[in-house]
Amino acid sequence: MMKKQTAGIHHITAIVGHPQENIDFYAGILGLRLVKQTVNFDDPGTYHLYFGDGGGKPGTIITFFPWANAYQGRIGDGQVGVTTYVVPTGSLSFWVNRLATFAIPFKKAERFGEQVIQFDDPHGLHLELVERAEGEQNNWTFGGVTPEVAIKGFGGATLYSSRPEETAKTLTNVMGLELVGTEGDYKRFKAPADIGNIIDLKMVTGVRGSMGVGTVHHIAWRAQDDADHLEWQQHAMNHGQHVTELKDRNYFNALYFRELGEILFEIATDPPGFAHDETLETMGTQLMLPVQYEQHRERLVDSLIPIQVRPID
């Protein structure tokens, strides 16, 4: 029997501070497209903002719950420690110059033979950029970031686990990733997609993470469709994971489990995607609400901080 295998990362969701600062950084500076403005379905007084490539494809989507003036979290065990973005071969020098232009501190490092540029977003999330040939070009242009240099999507993520050996087993036995290398304190795992496919797991423990601004809430893996999603639910349960029921998130269906290293995993369906309640051309330009909140639109709009996507000089 074929082992069950996710294609790779579907999306990563994090908690940040002021929503306009979030948009100015991810759209204005990193050049990603705001593909959806909606609300947190479990807390509709909070935005849920989605950024990705021009088409909003799985493997490119980072999502945020912005809590203006909320307490700062602590990055540590039980979390995604670093979110990695992949850029076209030969474009790192563009990004070094761009970060310098916007006075964003960064450092250069090497891991598994790859050069990476490491920096933080305004709210403390750890990010890095790596060049890889794989992955299709992102045809979105914004604020001086053109398709030749634009972020293609996720390169992957670095996981900090409270029980690294258990997380390693979950990555291979449950999610179907392949162990492809070990270097220093890290093991590298690979999924078959061409983006969002490389996971580096830190094999030593550190401080325990605490949730708040500047931390990743969960990492979501890809399921092909609803039928595959049901199989994943059963598959994860068969491997001893405590899996939630399926939840309709409007742009995908989701299920969740906290693996033994305390990192919250989601499995999300690729369809229906982000253009089903807006056109591909207009997505991200207005606040979209799920049916249950539409009747409260006026009150919600009044309570949310006004935001805009704007080029940053």
Side-chain angles (χ1 to χ4, degrees):
M1 180 177 147
M2 284 272 292
K3 76 169 179 178
K4 197 113 186 88
Q5 186 176 49
T6 181
I9 298 170
H10 183 284
H11 67 269
I12 288 173
T13 294
I15 298 162
V16 290
H18 195 288
Q20 189 60 54
E21 293 170 358
N22 177 242
I23 290 173
D24 285 347
F25 187 80
Y26 286 88
I29 294 175
L30 295 188
L32 296 171
R33 181 178 186 180
L34 177 64
V35 296
K36 192 65 61 179
Q37 328 176 17
T38 184
V39 293
N40 179 344
F41 290 4
D42 302 320
D43 172 24
T46 305
Y47 279 114
H48 195 177
L49 303 177
Y50 293 72
F51 298 84
D53 72 350
K57 290 193 291 295
T60 75
I61 301 290
I62 193 161
T63 98
F64 296 103
F65 298 128
W67 297 347
N69 307 314
Y71 57 89
Q72 196 73 21
R74 180 177 64 200
I75 297 172
D77 296 345
Q79 295 175 351
V80 172
V82 186
T83 299
T84 306
Y85 276 118
V86 65
V87 296
T89 306
S91 66
L92 265 192
S93 56
F94 167 86
W95 286 102
V96 164
N97 291 339
R98 189 165 178 88
L99 293 173
T101 299
F102 289 107
I104 296 162
F106 62 88
K107 51 182 199 256
K108 297 180 178 180
E110 186 177 307
R111 202 165 65 252
F112 290 97
E114 295 179 309
Q115 299 295 320
V116 294
I117 305 293
Q118 302 172 326
F119 56 101
D120 287 355
D121 85 351
H123 300 130
L125 284 170
H126 295 337
L127 304 174
E128 59 186 18
L129 297 173
V130 64
E131 289 181 1
R132 289 182 192 140
E134 299 81 24
E136 58 189 64
Q137 190 177 60
N138 172 10
N139 291 319
W140 187 248
T141 297
F142 188 76
V145 179
T146 58
E148 301 73 48
V149 295
I151 288 169
K152 294 192 271 195
F154 293 124
T158 300
L159 305 185
Y160 295 166
S161 169
S162 60
R163 296 171 72 188
E165 293 296 345
E166 292 297 338
T167 303
K169 284 181 200 162
T170 304
L171 290 172
T172 52
N173 300 344
V174 183
M175 304 315 303
L177 275 65
E178 182 188 354
L179 176 63
V180 292
T182 303
E183 181 182 284
D185 291 337
Y186 294 90
K187 283 188 174 174
R188 174 163 283 196
F189 299 83
K190 190 173 185 182
D194 54 5
I195 57 169
N197 59 338
I198 300 290
I199 299 294
D200 290 340
L201 173 62
K202 193 174 185 183
M203 298 307 294
V204 293
T205 55
V207 298
R208 192 193 176 113
S210 61
M211 203 167 70
V213 170
T215 63
V216 170
H217 186 268
H218 63 265
I219 181 169
W221 308 93
R222 293 171 64 180
Q224 292 166 11
D225 52 30
D226 290 346
D228 187 43
H229 203 219
L230 279 171
E231 286 181 19
W232 274 110
Q233 187 184 37
Q234 192 58 52
H235 172 74
M237 283 186 198
N238 291 347
H239 282 81
Q241 303 294 337
H242 298 285
V243 185
T244 64
E245 75 278 14
L246 304 184
K247 297 174 189 284
D248 179 357
R249 299 303 193 196
N250 220 348
Y251 310 107
F252 47 86
N253 286 336
L255 60 85
Y256 303 85
F257 62 92
R258 198 172 288 280
E259 54 79 45
L260 290 173
E262 299 183 275
I263 302 164
L264 184 58
F265 279 9
E266 175 183 340
I267 301 175
T269 55
D270 280 2
F274 297 97
H276 77 89
D277 59 355
E278 298 179 89
T279 66
L280 190 62
E281 293 68 41
T282 62
M283 65 185 188
T285 57
Q286 56 184 325
L287 181 69
M288 303 304 293
L289 296 174
V291 177
Q292 67 267 32
Y293 295 133
E294 198 53 67
Q295 62 195 12
H296 307 301
R297 175 176 283 273
E298 208 170 315
R299 185 165 57 79
L300 284 171
V301 168
D302 284 348
S303 71
L304 291 163
I305 297 170
I307 52 174
Q308 60 171 316
V309 176
R310 57 192 184 186
I312 309 298
D313 298 328

